[in-house]
Amino acid sequence: MSDCFSDVPDNLPRPFDIARAERAFEDFKKAGPTLSQGAENVFAATFGNSPFLARLARQEGAFLERLLQMGPDVAVAELIESALDTAFAENFNAAMENLRSLKRRAALAIALADIATLWDVERVTATLTNFADACVKGALRYLLREAALNAEMDMHNPAELEATTGLVVLAMGKYGAYELNYSSDVDLIVFYDTERFPFRKKGDMRSAAVDLVKGLVKLMNEVTADGYVFRVDLRLRPDAGATQVAISTAAAENYYEAMGQNWERAAMIKARACAGDPQTGAAFLKAIEPFVWRRNLDYAAIEDIHSIKRQIHAHGGHGKIAVGGHNIKLGRGGIREIEFFAQTQQLILGGRNASLRARGTLAAIESLCDAGLVSTDASNDLSEAYRYLRVLEHRLQMIEDEQTHTLPKTEEGLSHIACFCGFADVKTFSAALTKQLEIVQNHYARLFERAVPLAAETGSLVFTGVEDDPETLETLTEMGYRDARHVARAIRGWHHGRVRATRSPRAREILTKLMPALLHGLAGTADPDAAFTQFDRFLSGLPSGVQLFSMFLANPDLLKLVAEIAGSAPRLAVHLGQVPTVLDALIEPDFLGQLPGSDELRDMLGAEFDAANDYEGALDGARRFAKEQVFRVGVQIIRGTISADAAGPAFANVADTVIEGLLPLAQKTLESSAGCVAGGAFAVIAMGKLGGREMTANSDLDLVFVYDAPACIEMSDGPKPLAVSTYYTRLAQRFIAALTTQTAEGGLYDVDMRLRPTGNKGPVAVRLESFTNYHAHEAWTWERLALTRARVIAAPDVFRTKLEATIKGALTTKSDVSKLFRDAREMRDKLAAQFPTTNRWDVKFASGGLVDIEFVTQTLLVQNASQHPDVLNVNTVAALENLAMLSVLTEDDANILIRAAALQNALLQVLRIAVEGSLNPDTATKGLQNLLARAAQASDFASAERALAEAQMAARDIFERVLPLAG
């Protein structure tokens, strides 16, 4: 008998599995009419190559018989009408079952028409799209009808509801362009017009719209015993990671105007309303036309468009394309390159030339050719390759209804697909495919041959769209990133404007160009993943990005330095994010040169004060100065420009300069109302780490304030006079405020006053006489020990001399040695109980750590200063050297303690720069481990850890001998 396949050509693919082909339609042949030779050939070619279609043939025998009689054109038309009738389904389950039954039959009919060559590839993709449209429309109409019934609306006609309720479904990607592949998902975006949408859920319009979308996805996407209809992908909606599945048109328009990216412009080229309210759809697409079709583009925008798909292999040659395992969609010479060949030129030129705005890929290539922008040869080559690859894509997907674009790697798998495509063997198939892929890649390469490669030296770096680019993940892995997907996801978030620094189109476009250098810089650190995470945090803290990204482009070394900071010193990276103005200092030519001395620091702070308009401006200037200089020291430690043991004096120099500079300003503000104290003097004494010039990047300032005035002077001489004690108390308070107050530039230092006479209970500022008497007669042992590090920072010369004599006199008074040693041991034990630690990297409080060494040093200083005043020195290492010279310590013990103090001070400097809290050596980044090893002058981290353990054990042994337990 005659059937729709009677006249098909004989050169159909041979069956790869003849037995399966025969099984697939033997029952059909027994029950049905005699098949034409053409139908048998079509069935053998189809079911012998596709297990999926063979199963459908057995499942849908009755439909297959009707298909033979009416032909695929009529059959699919009937299926489309039936899909639209889903609107009238009795219930949700019935709607699901109907759509899935229709999809099975459509899959069978379209595949047979394709394999029988009754339809060309454009007809196949268009028919798949038309059927998908009918399914989406039918499903949406059913949901709208149910919503109207539940809302007790007067209108119940599904088609009228669809056309008037303000909800529109946009088809995107291949679906929007009528180019669906055989096992494609459908890319959808759903918008609703708040002026037209009638439904509410508990009074909320958006919740009702979201429920409709969820219902649509379930009807289409959910896999049941009957299969599925189409996989639904909603990720092309605005900022899919942060938005609901239904978005108001107003919100969407605002997003595209403020945040839209060039890849979203490319996606919108293909957008069309496939279901829902056509008036809403047309209005929305018209509203975003200026976003999609920009009339004016600068260089950075064009570079960003090119970056949508850029491969290093397209610049200057590449190896042969391996067929086995090749991805014909995303791989070299694949479908995506043909699509982007057209889309990138459409985006750049379509704003001024409306004829280039075709949705379909082939139509777009033709329009570029008609406009003289693409040669006829290129147009013909790319169109032929596109059709070839789309047919191959369909054959891959028909085998098991898988959404795959990757060729098999096995010889058997390649033999199967070669057979299904009508080739005699793998060799012939491979040659034909390679030819097409190379043609595509050559044309694609020429398109971008004048562009600067936005790719790594090792491969692609593409972060557009919503999916990971496989070659990009491979590139990131080869660069050294362990979690390439995390890196790609975070960068896509930057491009989505999820951090303030990337919310402007200009910032995102410059960032695109910057990305290869940035990722290479971070990959060059010891732990690329940790460095990237820190850079992400740094970027998230910036208020804007255009200036910074432009600076990075102009100064590649600056980018490399910031990458190094992110990889080695997370704490400094956080500081960078909080105070981005510090970056301006980084580009100064002498930033990594010799650190400024005291005179130069005073000049720099003076310049800040000179530029200030008022007292508050001076406070801001002091904060900028200090933060920049502290940051400078930290960066130089990281870069190895200075050794870690030089950091303490450097940080102390900065603090000294600030104290010396701010004190006169604070005093001036007081003098404006209270005047001066005739013959009076005020001094700032540094204690602790500042006193010993052993400060770290985050040290507090341990300060004591002492004043003096003639006995005959009782009041200050201003318009609002104050008693002398009150005057200097106010001065101390104002000065503390100058150091600690948060201004527009942040904080400066924390001040600790607990080392003043009588501690927190005593006055903020004490008279010299009281200070002298207290330390001569009342001071506790721990206060005498603390006084060994007292250093006068700011005071008139005569008063400084008096104070230094007072301090020296207190320290050189003969001590009760037994009480001294007993008290010192008790105090150390109390500290150990208060700050217990078993972590040797807690170098301050660990057994044999800095506190142990300081107790030994200070106790011995107090014991011996009465006989040998010259032994005194505020610095621990210098004091130990003095003790050794007097033979108070043996040369061996002194050297052990000096080495242990120097090592742990150096490590502490790095830890305070790099780490918040205590170091966990098991989780420390490789960059930090390398930094600590360098500070310890060790070959690696393990050696540094061994050296630290040995130093602490030896120091603790000396501590136990000098300060033994009472007993």
Side-chain angles (χ1 to χ4, degrees):
M1 64 165 283
S2 176
D3 55 49
C4 67
F5 298 123
S6 299
D7 298 324
V8 298
D10 295 332
N11 59 340
L12 297 176
R14 69 186 188 283
F16 187 72
D17 187 333
I18 298 173
R20 183 175 60 228
E22 292 176 349
R23 288 194 304 273
F25 60 94
E26 62 183 356
D27 293 339
F28 176 80
K29 289 173 66 177
K30 292 175 184 176
T34 304
L35 296 175
S36 67
Q37 185 59 51
E40 288 209 22
N41 291 343
V42 171
F43 285 2
T46 302
F47 307 139
N49 283 295
S50 169
F52 165 68
L53 291 170
R55 292 193 296 273
L56 287 188
R58 290 194 293 272
Q59 192 174 0
E60 297 289 346
F63 171 75
L64 186 57
E65 184 174 349
R66 292 184 63 245
L67 173 65
L68 284 171
Q69 296 169 1
M70 69 179 74
D73 294 314
V74 176
V76 173
E78 287 186 359
L79 295 173
I80 287 173
E81 286 300 315
S82 297
L84 292 171
D85 288 342
T86 302
F88 300 100
E90 293 182 10
N91 53 50
F92 195 89
N93 288 335
M96 291 184 74
E97 184 178 350
N98 181 59
L99 288 172
R100 281 151 183 76
S101 173
L102 296 173
K103 174 62 186 297
R104 291 195 303 271
R105 295 167 187 175
L108 188 58
I110 294 169
L112 288 167
D114 183 356
I115 294 166
T117 67
L118 298 181
W119 295 347
D120 61 19
V121 68
E122 290 101 315
R123 177 75 183 278
V124 170
T125 57
T127 304
L128 285 165
T129 303
N130 288 332
F131 177 72
D133 281 357
C135 291
V136 174
K137 276 181 170 288
L140 181 62
R141 289 176 179 180
Y142 168 79
L143 294 166
L144 290 171
R145 183 171 69 88
E146 288 296 302
L149 288 169
N150 292 334
E152 299 181 352
M153 290 174 56
D154 293 336
M155 186 190 304
H156 296 143
N157 181 285
E160 289 183 16
L161 282 166
E162 181 192 17
T164 58
T165 48
L167 188 85
V168 62
V169 182
L170 292 190
M172 306 293 291
K174 285 185 170 63
Y175 183 26
Y178 286 91
E179 295 171 345
L180 275 187
N181 55 53
Y182 190 75
S183 293
S184 181
D185 54 9
V186 290
D187 293 301
L188 305 178
I189 306 179
V190 182
F191 299 116
Y192 61 94
D193 183 346
T194 55
E195 299 296 321
R196 292 168 64 84
F197 189 66
F199 302 112
R200 304 289 187 276
K201 179 182 180 182
K202 297 180 180 179
D204 182 42
M205 183 184 299
R206 184 175 66 175
S207 295
V210 167
D211 280 354
L212 284 169
V213 177
K214 289 180 177 177
L216 178 64
V217 171
K218 186 171 183 179
L219 280 172
M220 299 284 291
N221 191 84
E222 187 170 294
V223 178
T224 71
D226 297 309
Y228 70 102
V229 188
F230 287 96
R231 289 174 290 267
V232 176
D233 193 334
L234 300 169
R235 291 177 298 168
L236 290 180
R237 69 186 185 275
D239 200 2
T243 55
Q244 293 278 14
V245 293
I247 303 169
S248 74
T249 52
E253 288 171 28
N254 289 336
Y255 168 84
Y256 288 122
E257 180 180 353
M259 308 291 295
Q261 300 174 64
N262 280 315
W263 72 264
E264 290 174 303
R265 294 177 58 216
M268 279 294 171
I269 291 176
K270 298 178 182 294
R272 64 180 176 86
C274 65
D277 186 336
Q279 180 179 334
T280 298
F284 176 77
L285 290 175
K286 183 69 175 176
I288 65 168
E289 266 190 16
F291 161 69
V292 180
W293 304 110
R294 286 166 60 181
R295 292 183 59 81
N296 299 301
L297 292 167
D298 61 18
Y299 181 76
I302 293 172
E303 285 296 298
D304 190 49
I305 291 167
H306 282 179
S307 79
I308 292 172
K309 179 70 174 175
R310 181 75 55 78
Q311 294 178 327
I312 192 66
H313 305 287
H315 300 267
H318 54 273
K320 288 187 176 181
I321 297 170
V323 172
H326 191 74
N327 188 313
I328 62 167
K329 175 183 177 181
L330 302 177
R332 303 179 197 175
I335 295 168
R336 184 61 57 85
E337 287 191 353
I338 302 173
E339 293 172 338
F340 285 145
F341 179 94
Q343 284 177 331
T344 50
Q345 294 177 91
Q346 285 180 290
L347 286 180
I348 293 169
L349 303 169
R352 292 182 174 273
N353 187 345
S355 70
L356 302 179
R357 300 178 185 180
R359 286 194 183 98
T361 302
L362 293 175
I365 292 172
E366 184 178 352
S367 71
L368 289 167
C369 183
D370 291 343
L373 300 167
V374 171
S375 70
T376 302
D377 287 345
S379 175
N380 292 339
D381 286 348
L382 291 172
S383 298
E384 179 185 346
Y386 182 79
R387 293 184 178 97
Y388 177 92
L389 293 171
R390 292 305 305 273
V391 170
L392 172 56
E393 178 184 47
H394 288 173
R395 297 298 177 269
L396 281 169
Q397 295 177 350
M398 284 177 183
I399 292 174
E400 275 296 0
D401 189 33
E402 293 176 332
Q403 191 186 12
T404 182
H405 308 89
T406 302
L407 290 163
K409 293 182 179 179
T410 65
E411 189 66 25
E412 181 180 7
L414 286 172
S415 296
H416 185 177
I417 194 63
C419 176
F420 202 1
C421 290
F423 288 90
D425 51 44
V426 172
K427 182 179 180 181
T428 309
F429 165 71
S430 297
L433 173 59
T434 301
K435 177 183 176 183
Q436 295 294 342
L437 296 174
E438 289 179 344
I439 287 172
V440 171
Q441 192 175 34
N442 287 336
H443 285 297
Y444 190 75
R446 283 196 290 273
L447 177 65
F448 294 118
E449 63 188 2
R450 295 181 182 178
V452 178
L454 294 184
E457 296 174 0
T458 50
S460 297
L461 287 175
V462 178
F463 301 102
T464 54
V466 295
E467 297 178 346
D468 291 327
D469 175 64
E471 289 192 20
T472 295
L473 296 181
E474 184 179 338
T475 299
L476 291 170
T477 301
E478 290 175 355
M479 290 171 73
Y481 294 95
R482 296 186 305 275
D483 191 350
R485 291 187 183 278
H486 167 74
V487 173
R489 185 165 56 248
I491 294 173
R492 284 201 299 275
W494 297 348
H495 283 291
H496 270 295
R498 292 191 188 136
V499 297
R500 285 181 299 171
T502 63
R503 285 179 186 165
S504 73
R506 179 67 178 170
R508 294 193 296 273
E509 287 163 358
I510 300 175
L511 181 63
T512 295
K513 190 173 183 180
L514 186 68
M515 195 55 60
L518 171 62
L519 287 169
H520 270 299
L522 295 172
T525 64
D527 189 335
D529 291 82
F532 179 85
T533 298
Q534 275 306 325
F535 187 86
D536 186 26
R537 290 175 183 164
F538 158 66
L539 196 63
S540 299
L542 294 175
S544 62
V546 172
Q547 184 177 2
L548 173 67
F549 299 155
S550 300
M551 192 186 300
F552 282 161
L553 280 177
N555 298 275
D557 288 341
L558 174 62
L559 177 60
K560 184 177 180 182
L561 177 56
V562 171
E564 189 173 354
I565 292 170
S568 302
R571 186 168 186 168
L572 274 187
V574 171
H575 177 71
L576 262 182
Q578 294 171 341
V579 192
T581 53
V582 172
L583 282 165
D584 295 334
L586 282 174
I587 62 176
E588 294 295 329
D590 62 345
F591 187 82
L592 293 176
Q594 185 174 353
L595 290 174
S598 297
D599 290 341
E600 189 176 351
L601 287 172
R602 291 190 194 99
D603 291 342
M604 295 165 71
L605 180 59
E608 290 283 355
F609 289 164
D610 292 342
N613 295 321
D614 51 25
Y615 182 62
E616 286 71 24
L619 296 185
D620 285 337
R623 281 149 179 76
R624 285 192 298 270
F625 162 80
K627 289 178 179 180
E628 181 176 314
Q629 295 308 315
V630 168
F631 181 75
R632 182 178 189 174
V633 175
V635 171
Q636 292 212 19
I637 291 172
I638 291 171
R639 296 300 300 271
T641 310
I642 63 170
S643 61
D645 58 7
F651 287 130
N653 283 344
V654 175
D656 286 357
T657 303
V658 169
I659 290 170
E660 292 171 0
L662 283 180
L663 180 58
L665 297 183
Q667 186 160 359
K668 189 175 180 180
T669 66
L670 181 61
E671 289 173 353
S672 65
S673 60
C676 299
V677 174
F682 183 84
V684 180
I685 301 174
M687 310 286 283
K689 292 288 187 184
L690 174 58
R693 299 180 62 78
E694 297 166 358
M695 282 187 72
T696 65
N698 68 333
S699 290
D700 295 344
L701 302 185
D702 292 299
L703 300 180
V704 174
F705 303 120
V706 182
Y707 68 91
D708 198 15
C712 60
I713 302 296
E714 296 181 358
M715 305 289 288
S716 64
D717 59 9
K720 295 180 181 180
L722 297 172
V724 171
S725 61
T726 304
Y727 182 92
Y728 285 114
T729 295
R730 295 276 179 88
L731 175 56
Q733 290 169 339
R734 290 192 181 215
F735 180 57
I736 292 170
L739 292 170
T740 60
T741 298
Q742 292 284 328
T743 74
E745 295 291 338
L748 186 52
Y749 290 106
D750 290 329
V751 173
D752 191 335
M753 299 288 296
R754 289 175 296 176
L755 293 179
R756 69 185 188 269
T758 68
N760 288 335
K761 297 179 181 179
V764 176
V766 295
R767 199 167 191 128
L768 176 60
E769 182 180 1
S770 299
F771 181 81
T772 303
N773 289 335
Y774 181 84
H775 281 290
H777 306 294
E778 301 176 42
W780 295 72
T781 300
W782 69 267
E783 290 175 304
R784 295 195 70 193
L785 298 182
L787 200 63
T788 61
R789 297 213 282 187
R791 181 168 61 88
V792 182
I793 293 180
D797 290 343
V798 173
F799 191 40
R800 179 190 297 270
T801 301
K802 286 183 181 180
L803 266 177
E804 290 174 346
T806 296
I807 294 167
K808 188 171 185 179
L811 290 173
T812 55
T813 301
K814 190 170 178 61
S815 303
D816 180 340
V817 174
S818 61
K819 183 178 187 304
L820 169 66
F821 278 74
R822 183 176 63 252
D823 287 352
R825 178 61 194 235
E826 288 178 359
M827 283 185 288
R828 177 60 185 110
D829 290 344
K830 285 180 180 179
L831 277 177
Q834 186 179 357
F835 300 104
T837 181
T838 57
N839 181 0
R840 72 176 70 260
W841 288 98
D842 186 356
V843 295
K844 182 176 180 180
F845 292 107
S847 176
L850 290 170
V851 170
D852 278 357
I853 297 171
E854 289 165 3
F855 264 92
V856 168
T857 306
Q858 292 165 16
T859 303
L860 294 177
L861 287 177
V862 173
Q863 176 196 16
N864 292 277
S866 60
Q867 291 182 297
H868 305 285
D870 291 341
V871 76
L872 294 171
N873 195 296
V874 294
N875 182 265
T876 303
V877 170
L880 285 168
E881 291 172 346
N882 290 347
L883 290 167
M885 288 176 62
L886 292 173
S887 300
V888 174
L889 282 170
T890 66
E891 186 176 346
D892 287 344
D893 282 355
N895 287 336
I896 288 170
L897 291 176
I898 288 169
R899 285 195 297 268
L903 170 62
Q904 293 182 95
N905 266 318
L907 293 174
L908 184 65
Q909 293 293 349
V910 171
L911 291 170
R912 291 295 185 263
I913 289 169
V915 180
E916 286 285 356
S918 298
L919 173 76
N920 181 347
D922 296 329
T923 59
T925 67
K926 197 69 177 173
L928 178 54
Q929 290 183 352
N930 290 345
L931 198 57
L932 289 166
R934 188 174 70 199
Q937 299 181 0
S939 58
D940 53 36
F941 183 69
S943 299
E945 198 160 27
R946 284 194 300 273
L948 177 60
E950 292 167 2
Q952 288 176 340
M953 289 177 63
R956 183 65 184 186
D957 178 64
I958 296 171
F959 172 87
E960 293 291 354
R961 286 191 276 112
V962 173
L963 297 172
L965 283 169

